[in-house]
Amino acid sequence: MLNFFKDLVMHLLKGNKAYYVWVLFLLGLIFMGVESYIKQATDGLIVTNMSDQVSWGFYISNFTFMVGVAAASVMLVIPSYLYNFKPIKEIVLFAEMLAISAVVMCLLLVVADMGKPLAGWHLLVKPNFPSSLLVWDVIVLNGYLILNVLAVTYVLYRAASGKAYKMSVMWPIVLISIPWAFSIHTVTAFLYNGLSSRPFWNASIVAPRFIASALCSGPALMLIIFQIARKLSEIEVSDEALSKIAEFIAYAMGLNLYLYAAELFKEFYSNSMHVAPMEYLFFGLKGHNVLVPFTWTAMVCNLTAFTLFIIPKTRKNFLTMNFACLLIFVGVYIDKGMGLIIPGFVPDTLGEIYDYLPSAIELKVTAGIWAVGALLYTFMVKTAIPIYKGELSLLPKGSRPDIRSLHH
Amino acid sequence: MKKTVIGKRLTMFSVVMPAVILVFFLTITGRAEEKPGAPVPGNHSQASPQAVPQPTASPQPANQPNVSKPLSATPQQTDNANAADAGKETRFGIPKFFTTKPPLTPGIFPCSQCHAAMTPNKQRRELGFHQDVVLNHATKQRWCLDCHDANDRDKLKLANGDLIPFTESYFLCGQCHGNIFRDWKTGIHGKRIGYWNGEKQYYLCVNCHNQHSPKFQPLKPLPMPARPHSGDVVKGTTSVDIEGKKIYIPVYK
Amino acid sequence: MDRRDFLKGAAIGMAAIAIPPVNASASYLETFFQKYYREMTPEDKKKVVERLEKEYREKYHKDIRVKTTEAIPGVLYGYGLDLSRCIGCRRCVYACVTENNLSRSNPQIQYITVLQFKNGEKWVTDLEESEKYYNPETVPAPDHFYMPVQCQQCEDPPCVRVCPTQATYKAEDGIVVVDYNWCIGCRYCMAACPYGARKFNWGEWNVPTDQINTNTHYLGNRPKIKGSVEKCTFCIQRVREVPGRYTACVEICPVGARKFGNLLDPASEIRLLIETKRVFRLKEELNTNPKFYYFFSL
């Protein structure tokens, strides 16, 4: 066991130049984030651009987006485990690791947003359950984290022992994790959805749209990660698997756009007072239009990506597919991040319009948290790949496992 | 023929009346079951505050005239009515605590110091002495001696000829401004300071309104709030004195 | 900034997070592990108050009294505001700032927001046409009217519903209060409040020492904590007394537009005005059931 961890550290330290550059880059971002966070912790959240008018900003926007990414691993779990769809099964592990990184980022983002993170333990002592959706969110997110950590550890442990995992152990985890993935996103949606004070969020379509857009962004990120992993390691990910995922994204994006269209129709056609946040997003309100360019960028990205994914030719072409992935990522990031959170506060409950854009410190802290996620993911992949290749093993030295038995 | 019509009406009556009475009693008992004096909030069925069940104590909107009669017929409601009657005195009587004083121009009261030796002059004219008095209060119908007593200048005169001291000037104002007088007595109109559950100071009409020119004069507003993360930088604070209270206000750059 | 400076800064910063700015670390630990206010025994409360008063003395060189007065039985506070009378002079805003020791800058905190509307324009519900930053020479500005908004002390407060730690709750006398020490600063309540009544301590609490009101309540106007939420408490330090003073905003209003009293007392001015005037409550459609009544006397 000790030897295993020694080997693991050696593996994490070893790598080519690109690996070192990447890790150092991430460490640099983390350093910058920590420095900014220290400033924030010392001076207070006054260093952000948030205010009593727009009381949640960039942190919570990123949090919401990352919950989507975390939830999206379900996308890959369902077909692979339930239908024993071979090409995908091998790469579910990557998705679950992504979920772990994403949830960790979520938790960090929430902590970054808290005024008194050190008082966080109050949540455990006097949770306002079941009344507060935030308590629900804490429960489901941590539960999801534990589930995924369990699954990944088990699979890797078995692999390191030179054995394939037992379905009898994986089944219960999978059976729980599928509804659980939906729950983390639904609960997060309900967190906003349940506030009657914010008409922009108080629409019943919010939760379904959360799920639909998560089913786009998560897998889009996975597509890119798989290609990188495939290039950097000897892990096999078939083209067939990739195009299957791409197809899923196309459907998910179709649904997402449909739900969005339904929402836009309702707001703009009925043209009640509650159209104001939508107007702020798309056209600007009373001359305030900082979000308008972002909104239209997101629209163009999502529509283009949908077109590229729905046409088989462009879906199967790696250049256009990757481009579409990038577009989806950007589109959903805007749409489910700032595009969802900020209009909830604009105009505020007393009709004031406060133009919010993140401050430099918010950007740096968030970048640091993204870097933490990326680093965590890098290290997890860097652990998983040698295990699957048989280079990292719990077996006594010299005895190499039958690698083929690990693959399906 | 006629008889049948009457008969029909009677039948109808005999059917409808019990129903009306029944409904009526249900309403009453329903109301009685709610705690008397229970407040509006938290009670969804009573979300509209106008519907607070205080049937006899306050001038009711005229939409339930048929309710008030049978109410007193039931003993339960008689109690209620009595209780309300008892409260009426304090609710609409003249407030007890007065510590505010009428704003008499210092040095010239009692008025009789000068006026005792003068002959009353009811003529509308340019005043030789009280130039500071600008009458802007139903000017056409009114001149000094409509309110100030011609013979006893230290008193005010009501329309019925009764004389009242300056400290009770609200009786004079209340002659015309009946609604406001009523609201003032209950505390709805006007300013009160002191203790919400103890002794209060009631401002007299003339503490806030200039009796000769009662419309409120516009005021300079205190500073606006600072826009967050903007150029509205608070340089410091300064204080203003409002009715003897020190109030701190921001000074912006 | 060179690397050494950075590391030094980082070290100090870390220390700032981990160690209290106030010297006594025993006191810091006590603060950190301080119990939830509603679960404190009278002895606990006494201890906490003593610690707080000592801390304040060291910090501000002033004897600040922290009361823990309980709710008066049989009292449910209610508020009335006469929109026919309000002239938008903002006296109430600053009387409140003064009484309640609200931060003067970075951020400036004010519990009362006075909104200006143009006559005849749409105004209720979403308040979209409101102007908060009006600043004419004199008020009321011609063709305009005013509506001050503060905590509506809802009977079904959305802020309490969403608070993850129960740090904010509705007391027996209907006042929605915050245990500033128990609040974790997640600001969910601010998102949930339909009246913009909740204010966040984005920065360090700052009131010039000579301007501090030393008559304070634990749940009210004591010095606030960076990173926690605060709000109007109907001047809890004043009204929870027998006899208890009217709130600061009631006493300052030059036109007598503000009314306050016990909703359970049929002879109180708040009850009388509810019964005799046409009243409305802000955003009734949200069913928050405020105990803050706007009315028109004219």
Side-chain angles (χ1 to χ4, degrees), chain B residues 37 41-42 47 49 91 183 187-192 194-197 200 219 222-223 226 237 242 248 250 252, chain C residues 85 89-91 94 98 108 138-139 155 211 239 241 244 246 251 253 259 266 269 271-272 275 277 279 281 289:
Chain B
R91 291 176 82 177
D183 282 351
I188 295 172
H189 179 98
K191 179 167 175 167
R192 301 174 154 192
Y195 298 88
W196 68 267
N197 52 355
K200 299 167 179 62
L219 282 174
L222 293 185
T237 40
I242 298 170
Y248 297 105
Y252 296 117
Chain C
R85 302 286 173 195
C89 67
R90 293 204 189 97
R91 302 280 191 274
Y94 293 101
T98 307
Q108 180 192 60
T138 57
V139 286
E155 268 299 282
Q211 298 178 11
V239 302
E241 298 286 337
Y246 278 118
E251 290 207 324
C253 182
K259 307 292 161 192
E269 57 236 54
R271 272 292 287 279
L272 290 167
E275 286 163 26
K277 299 294 171 193
V279 302
R281 295 179 291 177
N289 231 336

Side-chain angles (χ1 to χ4, degrees), chain A residues 152-232:
Chain A
V152 168
T153 315
Y154 172 67
V155 170
L156 287 182
Y157 175 77
R158 291 290 291 187
S161 311
K163 291 172 234 159
Y165 55 79
K166 279 188 194 149
M167 257 344 250
S168 58
V169 177
M170 276 310 274
W171 258 114
I173 299 182
V174 170
L175 279 183
I176 299 171
S177 76
I178 292 167
W180 204 290
F182 275 100
S183 83
I184 64 166
H185 220 29
T186 306
V187 168
T188 308
F190 283 176
L191 196 98
Y192 309 112
N193 195 190
L195 305 180
S196 59
S197 55
R198 312 284 173 179
F200 182 73
W201 294 336
N202 198 216
S204 33
I205 211 160
V206 168
R209 212 159 82 72
F210 259 54
I211 301 284
S213 67
L215 293 184
C216 307
S217 56
L221 188 58
M222 288 305 302
L223 272 186
I224 294 173
I225 287 172
F226 287 151
Q227 290 173 66
I228 295 171
R230 178 158 91 156
K231 222 171 216 153
L232 296 182

Side-chain angles (χ1 to χ4, degrees), chain B residues 8-199:
Chain B
K8 246 184 193 171
R9 281 194 180 161
L10 274 176
T11 342
M12 255 171 68
F13 220 67
S14 59
V15 172
V16 172
M17 261 331 265
V20 169
I21 291 165
L22 185 69
V23 167
F24 200 56
F25 267 79
L26 284 176
T27 326
I28 291 167
T29 39
R31 289 194 153 208
E33 265 161 27
E34 282 157 16
K35 267 188 214 155
V40 192
N43 188 340
H44 282 261
S45 63
Q46 298 266 335
S48 159
Q50 286 90 329
V52 175
Q54 285 296 322
T56 47
S58 58
Q60 274 292 314
N63 56 357
Q64 320 164 310
N66 51 343
V67 174
S68 55
K69 243 187 196 168
L71 273 186
S72 50
T74 58
Q76 200 180 8
Q77 291 300 330
T78 318
D79 285 345
N80 242 357
N82 282 346
D85 276 338
K88 222 169 191 172
E89 193 62 10
T90 51
R91 291 176 82 177
F92 291 106
I94 299 297
K96 283 181 209 137
F97 322 104
F98 283 104
T99 37
T100 46
K101 293 202 165 62
L104 298 165
T105 318
I108 63 167
F109 191 81
C111 311
S112 50
Q113 288 174 87
C114 304
H115 280 280
M118 294 160 73
T119 329
N121 177 356
K122 292 193 175 183
Q123 274 305 305
R124 206 175 273 267
R125 63 189 189 279
E126 191 95 351
L127 293 181
F129 184 72
H130 298 289
Q131 288 106 334
D132 54 317
V133 175
V134 179
L135 189 64
N136 197 0
H137 189 182
T139 324
K140 279 204 175 135
Q141 310 95 294
R142 185 170 301 138
W143 193 243
C144 309
L145 297 183
D146 293 319
C147 301
H148 295 276
D149 186 62
N151 303 315
D152 183 355
R153 289 303 166 86
D154 297 334
K155 293 274 164 64
L156 294 166
K157 186 182 72 182
L158 299 183
N160 63 5
D162 287 357
L163 300 189
I164 51 160
F166 279 97
T167 47
E168 285 173 17
S169 55
Y170 44 84
F171 283 123
L172 182 67
C173 309
Q175 294 181 127
C176 297
H177 305 286
N179 286 354
I180 289 179
F181 186 40
R182 191 184 62 208
D183 282 351
W184 176 77
K185 282 187 285 185
T186 60
I188 295 172
H189 179 98
K191 179 167 175 167
R192 301 174 154 192
I193 60 170
Y195 298 88
W196 68 267
N197 52 355
E199 197 158 312

Side-chain angles (χ1 to χ4, degrees), chain C residues 82-122:
Chain C
D82 189 349
L83 289 180
S84 314
R85 302 286 173 195
C86 178
I87 55 169
C89 67
R90 293 204 189 97
R91 302 280 191 274
C92 51
V93 175
Y94 293 101
C96 167
V97 165
T98 307
E99 166 70 25
N100 288 301
N101 290 326
L102 304 189
S103 273
R104 307 292 201 257
S105 59
N106 292 320
Q108 180 192 60
I109 292 180
Q110 298 175 353
Y111 289 163
I112 304 175
T113 308
V114 188
L115 302 177
Q116 179 184 263
F117 295 93
K118 223 173 146 47
N119 285 349
E121 296 275 310
K122 64 179 171 189

